[in-house]
Amino acid sequence: RKVLCQFIQSLKAWVFLIRIINGETMSKSKTLCALILAQGCTICPEEVLKEGDIKINIVPHGYEDLDDFHKDACKIPNKFKKHDLFGQYYDHLGFYERSENFDDCQKLSNNQPICDYEKLKELYTEEEYVIVLFEQDLNYGKAEDNIVMINGKAARTSLLLHEFTHAFTNLGDEKFDLEQYGYINIASSSFNCASSFKGDTCAEKWEGIEHGCLIGCQNNSALYRPSDSCIMNNPFETDRYCPVCEYRIRETMAEKGF
């Protein structure tokens, strides 16, 4: 396999150089690099990422064999590419892998991940995104600011995008369990959760967007969610965004110039 990988890498590299010599755009060259990565052979050289592109760093934690991490990391771009919504912006995404484990993470007793976010932030800028792949089994993924933590071996597309969306824009969890969570009468900073406060109601917050107004969002019965069928509600049941969440993702892409 390694010999085949080296051959593909060499062949793609020559094609890449020819395209650069012929004056093709960086966007096309980066797309070529994404294709190389999809072959599972190499990560794109950083200089190919053109200015303004969305940079996603894939970081290993707990991998005994970094070749295994490489295989897991190389599956990530394809999950974005094949998705109905993020696939439309695929040419603007750049994927890069870290060559060594980031050790300052752990799996908690409830199988949820946690990392030293401050140390991670020292390695990457606020404009970059970080996906930490855990080799250990995790029940859930997690997002904190621009950092995503997820099981590298079983990172299903919908769960990966659910967590990445938390990091990418101000969309919260629409999950809700009446028996487990209570009532806190507050406004929500998440675009996909509305309240009874003036200016933050379903009708006002989502004016012009197809939506419902269902009780419960962010585990709070004082808030309202726009849909029962959305990645941000239950990523184990659907891989699609509701109209409200899709609107906000497209709006965020537009704010970034795409």
Side-chain angles (χ1 to χ4, degrees):
R1 182 184 179 279
K2 286 186 177 180
V3 173
L4 176 60
C5 243
Q6 290 171 355
F7 172 75
I8 293 174
Q9 180 178 344
S10 175
L11 181 62
K12 296 290 186 179
W14 277 109
V15 174
F16 167 72
L17 287 173
I18 291 170
R19 289 190 173 188
I20 290 294
I21 291 170
N22 287 340
E24 293 198 19
T25 66
M26 279 298 200
S27 179
K28 290 183 180 179
S29 299
K30 186 168 69 67
T31 301
L32 173 66
C33 259
L35 290 173
I36 297 175
L37 190 147
Q39 297 288 338
C41 295
T42 186
I43 295 295
C44 303
E46 184 161 348
E47 59 267 26
V48 174
L49 185 69
K50 70 181 181 64
E51 184 178 355
D53 276 351
I54 299 165
K55 186 171 183 179
I56 301 172
N57 301 283
I58 307 172
V59 176
H61 170 72
Y63 278 83
E64 295 182 4
D65 186 343
L66 287 176
D67 282 344
D68 290 337
F69 161 69
H70 184 75
K71 293 174 187 175
D72 292 339
C74 286
K75 296 174 185 175
I76 299 297
N78 216 32
K79 296 178 187 294
F80 282 83
K81 184 178 182 180
K82 289 186 174 181
H83 188 261
D84 288 348
L85 178 55
F86 275 99
Q88 297 175 38
Y89 299 95
Y90 185 73
D91 283 351
H92 300 296
L93 305 179
F95 298 91
Y96 304 89
E97 72 174 14
R98 179 181 167 90
S99 59
E100 58 185 28
N101 275 302
F102 181 78
D103 295 326
D104 294 299
C105 296
Q106 60 179 308
K107 181 176 70 172
L108 301 179
S109 57
N110 60 358
N111 276 2
Q112 287 201 15
I114 188 170
C115 290
D116 188 325
Y117 307 122
E118 294 307 314
K119 286 188 177 180
L120 266 174
K121 289 175 183 178
E122 290 175 3
L123 300 175
Y124 304 101
T125 69
E126 292 182 358
E127 288 73 32
E128 299 176 47
Y129 299 93
V130 179
I131 298 176
V132 182
L133 296 187
F134 280 62
E135 187 167 41
Q136 305 102 315
D137 288 336
L138 299 171
N139 287 346
Y140 307 97
K142 187 177 180 181
E144 183 77 20
D145 296 331
N146 61 332
I147 299 166
V148 172
M149 294 149 284
I150 199 164
N151 185 343
K153 296 297 182 187
R156 61 188 298 163
T157 298
S158 54
L159 183 57
L160 169 66
L161 293 182
H162 171 96
E163 300 299 348
F164 180 78
T165 302
H166 284 318
F168 184 68
T169 190
N170 62 327
L171 290 175
D173 277 324
E174 296 175 10
K175 303 172 185 175
F176 182 69
D177 184 340
L178 275 172
E179 296 180 358
Q180 188 175 358
Y181 298 97
Y183 180 97
I184 305 174
N185 193 23
I186 58 172
S188 174
S189 59
S190 297
F191 185 77
N192 56 334
C193 295
S195 70
S196 58
F197 287 86
K198 185 177 180 180
D200 194 50
T201 64
C202 298
E204 293 171 295
K205 200 166 192 175
W206 306 322
E207 183 180 2
I209 310 170
E210 179 186 347
H211 68 271
C213 195
L214 310 175
I215 294 176
C217 195
Q218 288 186 309
N219 296 322
N220 186 352
S221 60
L223 298 179
Y224 302 87
R225 63 189 184 278
S227 171
D228 254 345
S229 181
C230 181
I231 278 185
M232 303 313 292
N233 186 330
N234 191 337
F236 295 99
E237 292 185 358
T238 182
D239 64 353
R240 301 181 70 87
Y241 292 94
C242 69
V244 167
C245 291
E246 179 175 337
Y247 175 90
R248 181 55 190 148
I249 291 170
R250 291 190 184 280
E251 187 175 55
T252 302
M253 286 291 187
E255 290 168 0
K256 293 179 179 294
F258 308 126

